[in-house]
Amino acid sequence: MATVMLKTMRKNAFFLALVLTIALTLSGCSTNLNSVFQKKLSPEEAKLKAETYINANLMANGSKATIDKVVEENGLYKMSVNVGSGQIIESYMTKDGSKLFPQALELKTAATDSTDTETATPTEVPKTAKPIVELFVMSHCPYGTQIEKGILPVVEALGDKINFELKFCDYAMHGEKELKEQLNQYCINKEQNAKYFTYLKCFLGAGDGAACLTQAKIDTGKMKTCVDKTDKQFKVTENFANNVDFKGSYPSFGVFADDNTKYNVGGSPTLIINGAESQSARDPQSLMNSICAGFENAPEECAQAMDTASPAAGFGTGTEAASGGAAADCATN
């Protein structure tokens, strides 16, 4: 992932927010902002002021943040701050511009906020002889790529003992590049399935789709024919160009719209096991536990020890400290 907010940014967005919060407090940023903002700001003024401040004070050299969206929420301005590599930080500003909050944290009761263990207890899901596992992501969502890296070794270990399908959310938060990449991946998975995981592993490493097409030996002509047909059927590019069927400020991606509606998919990632949403941590061992909880009779593969380290969010091969629970996502709310 690119170097972003603060030179010591951690890849995990939650810790990024904490680091930024500490930096704001220690540097007296609230006082500085008070001296800059003297009136109630319009959304555009708030966007400009916050963007200018963040880039002048919080970004490492060579990095630039942009604010993609500003909306009113709970008496504040909610801002979608794009800090690079597809990473979006939801931040907040008071309407007079006197205070900037990097991230809001949802308060939970002690009974439900369980993040102490290395691997999470699997969410209870219906049991079947052969579990159906559906994972909904956005191709450039750092938390979607995180769970993809965690689940691929599990899917490979379980093999044909499960039915696994990777699907996409019905809107894209990371621009036109995400729409194009998801069309490519959909068609590779559909028509060149034997090569799909090879391609996906490569893409998750660096986010370079063009290089991965070559590495995975994808028949690009065949893929393009499928992409053109799919794009026309679901009007992905047409709707994007004409600003039609957007979800707020985000373009739609209707290829799996029916499944999104069926499961009430809210964002990336969403893991569905046997028709029920599973709140799993994103390390391979937790994902193995979650999927194996869906078997009527778990196969011997479920006893296989998997990595307990959570893959780092975003592209790359690193890991981060396991949180023991489901982490952040890319969602509109």
Side-chain angles (χ1 to χ4, degrees):
M1 295 179 66
T3 303
V4 291
M5 290 185 176
L6 300 174
K7 295 180 180 180
T8 57
M9 185 207 82
R10 293 171 171 80
K11 293 180 180 178
N12 181 288
F14 176 80
F15 289 107
L16 170 63
L18 293 183
V19 170
L20 185 51
T21 301
I22 294 170
L24 287 170
T25 301
L26 294 179
S27 64
C29 288
S30 294
T31 300
N32 293 337
L33 283 172
N34 268 318
S35 65
V36 175
F37 304 116
Q38 300 295 330
K39 64 176 184 177
K40 182 176 180 180
L41 305 177
S42 69
E44 283 302 314
E45 288 173 325
K47 173 182 176 181
L48 177 61
K49 293 291 186 179
E51 201 170 73
T52 300
Y53 184 86
I54 289 169
N55 283 312
N57 296 278
L58 303 176
M59 298 297 291
N61 292 335
S63 298
K64 183 177 180 180
T66 59
I67 295 177
D68 297 338
K69 179 181 179 183
V70 178
V71 297
E72 292 188 34
E73 183 177 292
N74 296 324
L76 301 169
Y77 282 134
K78 178 180 178 181
M79 303 177 175
S80 297
V81 184
N82 188 332
V83 293
S85 296
Q87 187 172 10
I88 305 294
I89 305 295
E90 298 293 354
S91 303
Y92 294 82
M93 177 183 282
T94 54
K95 288 185 178 180
D96 64 356
S98 64
K99 293 181 174 62
L100 179 66
F101 306 97
Q103 187 173 2
L105 303 180
E106 181 180 358
L107 300 180
K108 300 179 180 180
T109 65
T112 60
D113 188 15
S114 178
T115 58
D116 297 327
T117 58
E118 290 187 356
T119 58
T121 301
T123 303
E124 186 174 349
V125 296
K127 297 182 182 297
T128 62
K130 187 173 185 176
I132 298 173
V133 181
E134 299 162 271
L135 176 60
F136 292 81
V137 299
M138 299 173 194
S139 65
H140 287 73
C141 170
Y143 314 115
T145 57
Q146 180 185 39
I147 197 171
E148 285 178 286
K149 288 182 286 186
I151 205 169
L152 284 179
V154 178
V155 173
E156 290 179 326
L158 292 172
D160 62 4
K161 301 294 176 67
I162 62 172
N163 287 320
F164 173 76
E165 188 169 2
L166 182 68
K167 300 181 178 181
F168 296 109
C169 297
D170 60 1
Y171 65 99
M173 296 182 70
H174 308 91
E176 187 176 13
K177 65 182 179 182
E178 187 161 72
L179 298 175
K180 291 181 176 179
E181 176 61 30
Q182 291 179 177
L183 285 170
N184 285 352
Q185 286 196 29
Y186 169 76
C187 285
I188 294 170
N189 192 15
K190 179 181 179 182
E191 298 193 343
Q192 303 179 62
N193 181 262
K195 300 178 181 179
Y196 182 50
F197 276 12
T198 300
Y199 173 85
L200 187 56
K201 289 176 183 178
C202 174
F203 179 73
L204 294 173
D208 188 346
C212 294
L213 292 173
T214 300
Q215 181 173 320
K217 299 180 180 179
I218 300 299
D219 184 334
T220 54
K222 185 176 181 180
M223 181 191 73
K224 185 178 185 305
T225 298
C226 171
V227 165
D228 290 344
K229 179 180 179 181
T230 305
D231 191 11
K232 183 178 180 180
Q233 177 183 353
F234 294 100
K235 299 182 179 181
V236 176
T237 301
E238 178 182 339
N239 286 346
F240 175 74
N242 296 321
N243 199 28
V244 172
D245 198 25
F246 272 46
K247 287 196 170 186
S249 62
Y250 302 116
S252 62
F253 187 82
V255 177
F256 296 102
D258 289 345
D259 290 331
N260 276 256
T261 300
K262 176 182 177 181
Y263 298 124
N264 194 29
V265 173
S268 168
T270 299
L271 178 63
I272 306 295
I273 302 174
N274 292 335
E277 184 172 352
S278 175
Q279 298 294 336
S280 175
R282 296 168 189 174
D283 61 280
Q285 186 62 67
S286 292
L287 287 161
M288 174 68 88
N289 295 345
S290 295
I291 293 173
C292 286
F295 280 99
E296 292 175 349
N297 296 293
E300 61 182 12
E301 286 84 356
C302 286
Q304 180 176 331
M306 306 297 292
D307 195 343
T308 59
S310 179
F315 298 112
T317 58
T319 60
E320 60 190 30
S323 66
D329 60 11
C330 297
T332 57
N333 50 41

